[in-house]
Amino acid sequence: MARSAIVCDSDAYANRRAWVEEYFDRTAADAWARLTSDAPVSGIRATVRAGRDRMRAALAGWLPADLAGCRVLDAGCGTGQMAVLLARRGADVVAVDLSRRLTALARERLPADLGRGRITFRAGDMLDPSLGRFDHVVAMDSLIHYRATDLVGAIASLAARTERSLVFTFAPRTPTLAAMHAVGRLFPRRDRAPAIEPLAEKTLRDELAALPLLTAWRAARTERVDCGFYKSQAFELVAA
Ligand SMILES: C[S@@+](CC[C@H](N)C(=O)[O-])C[C@H]1O[C@@H](n2cnc3c(N)ncnc32)[C@H](O)[C@@H]1O
């Protein structure tokens, strides 16, 4: 496996990243805070919350039950739900997000007792090599905003500093999703979600297979979660 730190440096990546940061840090921070809390939400958002709960459980279920001694990156951690789940299983989690507001909220929401685990929150880009090396990387619904080339470039960059597995989601390209296109319609215009880039599973597999950097990785499990307005697909890459 290549060990160099590859950074996704296309203009498209940088532009989309700036847009995503603006969206999650300002436009929809309050809506996102509510969605990720126990506060009541509308029927449509309740389906998204339920779907996200299923997806979080699916991704976390692909990691070892006991994560003691493992360094895990929660890449695009939002308000920290996944980070807490994994820390409670003993992981040393680095939870990074572009949004300072969401990482601040994640710190506020941090439960007092994480057992043997711990979480370090960082505001910034998940591809920052200074975050270090990891046993596992989890990127739940954080790469869905990037076009295929940049999503795969980000995966390659993360894989270069990951030892064991990389689990992430992509927005499956389906007729229904294309029609809904997608989570954005959940929100009023003022806090509408930024663009999501639907991706056919075959395209994802082909693009991953074409990357020399990923020859030491193999695609393992995949699972689609389709719950009302929430449609996302989990994908697992494991070090061969
Ligand atoms: C749909 S939210 C999901 C948050 C969290 N993973 C969850 O499932 O609750 C996507 C998050 O990814 C973050 N994000 C997107 N691109 C990122 C990047 N390049 N580096 C760090 N965070 C990123 C966004 O700021 C946003 O908080």
Side-chain angles (χ1 to χ4, degrees):
M1 178 175 62
R3 296 287 180 193
S4 60
I6 310 104
V7 175
C8 206
D9 59 359
S10 75
D11 285 350
Y13 176 76
N15 291 339
R16 184 53 65 87
R17 183 183 57 196
W19 190 18
V20 168
E21 178 178 352
E22 167 75 21
Y23 174 75
F24 282 100
D25 203 54
R26 283 179 272 280
T27 319
D30 291 341
W32 196 257
R34 191 173 184 89
L35 182 70
T36 57
S37 73
D38 294 331
V41 285
S42 71
I44 287 175
R45 291 187 197 204
T47 69
V48 175
R49 188 185 272 171
R52 284 174 35 76
D53 289 347
R54 274 171 51 191
M55 179 56 85
R56 196 178 315 108
L59 292 170
W62 288 350
L63 301 189
D66 183 358
L67 287 166
C70 289
R71 202 161 184 265
V72 179
L73 179 67
D74 183 359
C77 63
T79 56
Q81 290 172 297
M82 178 70 84
V84 168
L85 182 63
L86 300 180
R88 284 188 163 142
R89 282 160 48 179
D92 176 2
V93 182
V94 174
V96 64
D97 200 283
L98 293 171
S99 167
R100 285 191 178 279
R101 253 174 97 180
L102 293 188
T103 48
L105 182 58
R107 271 192 207 96
E108 270 171 39
R109 287 182 178 176
L110 200 58
D113 184 12
L114 289 177
R116 290 170 301 163
R118 66 171 190 160
I119 306 176
T120 308
F121 287 105
R122 293 270 301 262
D125 190 334
M126 65 171 84
L127 303 186
D128 180 351
S130 77
L131 295 173
R133 301 192 61 79
F134 298 94
D135 296 289
H136 303 277
V137 172
V138 184
M140 175 166 153
D141 296 342
S142 47
L143 293 171
I144 57 175
H145 304 295
Y146 299 93
R147 60 178 195 169
T149 316
D150 290 326
L151 180 151
V152 170
I155 293 296
S157 180
L158 292 167
R161 48 198 170 89
T162 303
E163 306 294 338
R164 294 169 63 183
S165 78
L166 230 150
V167 298
F168 63 97
T169 60
F170 65 97
R173 182 182 286 284
T174 64
T176 332
L177 188 71
M180 289 167 63
H181 197 239
V183 182
R185 294 193 189 156
L186 300 174
F187 297 106
R189 185 166 292 282
R190 76 187 141 70
D191 61 5
R192 196 167 268 187
I196 289 171
E197 299 282 350
L199 180 58
E201 183 177 342
K202 180 170 183 332
T203 308
L204 174 64
R205 286 181 183 275
D206 289 348
E207 295 236 6
L208 290 171
L211 273 183
L213 283 166
L214 290 174
T215 48
W217 290 78
R218 70 177 170 80
R221 291 166 278 196
T222 184
E223 181 175 333
R224 188 173 293 186
V225 174
D226 189 337
C227 180
F229 274 67
Y230 181 84
K231 294 169 197 317
S232 189
Q233 186 162 340
F235 200 88
E236 180 190 38
L237 282 175
V238 293

